[in-house]
Amino acid sequence: MIRRILSAAVAVALTAGAVLTAVVAAAFALYALLEGPLGRPGAAAVVAALAALVAAVTALIALRKAEPPPPAEQSPMERVIALASEKPILAVAAALAAGVVALRNPKVVAALVSAFVAGRTAGK
């Protein structure tokens, strides 16, 4: 297992080294090609600008792939159900706390039930 991981790491390092060598060689070739018509400063500026352009395009592609899709709008009840399914211990604790409150203060439960019933009848 470790041997495979090390082999993969060596392969990635060798590939990265080969790509880096190719990029540097291409930059030198472009510099040599442009040195005659543009002079040394002009050729260096074009090579630097091209390298910056490649880096910017690569960064934009990486950022676009890394952006998560926007979440869909959920109703409050769907959020509660999702939270309860993700964290069942928290849901059980909340249910127990609601039960304790209901046992200690039945007037609060009666007020909630009457408000719920009043809301249902007002909507009809």
Side-chain angles (χ1 to χ4, degrees):
M1 178 74 169
I2 293 177
R3 183 170 281 219
R4 282 187 175 178
I5 293 172
L6 289 176
S7 295
V10 168
V12 168
L14 288 174
T15 303
V19 169
L20 181 64
T21 303
V23 168
V24 170
F28 274 124
L30 181 62
Y31 176 82
L33 182 69
L34 296 175
E35 185 180 10
L38 299 178
R40 289 182 179 177
V46 169
V47 171
L50 187 61
L53 179 67
V54 168
V57 168
T58 304
L60 286 175
I61 290 171
L63 287 176
R64 188 166 22 149
K65 286 184 179 179
E67 185 176 310
E73 288 294 321
Q74 293 181 333
S75 70
M77 186 54 109
E78 289 174 339
R79 289 183 199 160
V80 170
I81 292 172
L83 181 65
S85 65
E86 289 175 9
K87 300 180 181 184
I89 295 174
L90 181 66
V92 169
L96 287 174
V100 168
V101 168
L103 286 176
R104 291 208 168 209
N105 197 351
K107 290 181 181 179
V108 172
V109 176
L112 288 174
V113 169
S114 65
F116 180 73
V117 171
R120 287 269 174 138
T121 57
K124 290 183 179 180

